[in-house]
Amino acid sequence: LAAAAPNTWTTKAAKPSSTYGPAASVGGKVYVIGGSDPPSSENREYDPVTNTWATKASMPTARYGHALAAARGKIYSVGGYNNSCGVYAMNEEYDPVTNTWATKAPMPTARDAFVLVNPGNGKIYAIGGDNGPCPSNHISTNEEYDPAGNVWTAKAAMPTPRRDPFA
């Protein structure tokens, strides 16, 4: 394979379905999980080395508006929207090595359209979002998840409520 020229785009294998959802990366592979409208539980793995997609174990709860973050070699799928004016607090952990899902402690504040980030300290932060799409209610909530202890902790809220991520 020849290397792509710097500052150019290269077309790669298309994802084999039309669903869309958030993505996270673990072990050099990219996972696109859930999303779409109506909600999906699809889990697709992209391997950039072989330029191929594989279908993996479906997420237990179909949803969209959720967020993904990787920590400790696993992917966490948190929150989301159920297409019936309800938001979720659920936290489901995907292990790419065993291709299995486990239910973890739910976040204290149910929401969708938020940011889930691991800044490299082994913890995950759920920031902002919307806690009721019918009607929409933007929030400034900031909660920290510790995967090692399976516990959530409230942190300082953002000064201004935001959603989608911070539009």
Side-chain angles (χ1 to χ4, degrees):
L1 268 188
N7 296 314
T8 62
W9 288 93
T10 304
T11 301
K12 298 293 183 180
K15 189 165 81 64
S17 71
S18 62
T19 61
Y20 61 89
S25 179
V26 170
K29 295 181 180 175
V30 178
Y31 296 84
V32 179
I33 303 172
S36 231
D37 185 7
S40 169
S41 60
E42 178 178 282
N43 179 3
R44 301 284 182 148
E45 173 194 81
Y46 176 72
D47 184 337
V49 174
T50 61
N51 190 31
T52 57
W53 287 90
T55 300
K56 296 299 183 176
S58 293
M59 181 171 56
T61 308
R63 60 194 189 273
Y64 64 98
H66 60 295
L68 302 178
R72 302 168 49 100
K74 306 216 171 118
I75 297 172
Y76 295 85
S77 178
V78 182
Y81 178 63
N82 69 8
N83 215 24
S84 299
C85 290
V87 291
Y88 292 125
M90 69 189 46
N91 176 10
E92 294 172 334
E93 174 193 79
Y94 177 67
D95 184 339
V97 173
T98 61
N99 192 33
T100 58
W101 287 89
T103 300
K104 296 297 181 177
M107 76 181 147
T109 306
R111 64 184 107 168
D112 72 333
F114 63 103
V115 171
L116 193 65
V117 62
N118 174 355
N121 65 356
K123 300 194 177 156
I124 295 171
Y125 296 83
I127 305 168
D130 199 12
N131 70 357
C134 302
S136 181
N137 183 27
H138 300 23
I139 61 175
S140 58
T141 306
N142 176 11
E143 294 164 336
E144 175 192 80
Y145 178 64
D146 180 357
N150 192 33
V151 63
W152 288 89
T153 305
K155 295 295 181 181
M158 289 187 297
T160 305
R162 291 191 168 92
R163 73 175 301 256
D164 263 342
F166 306 148

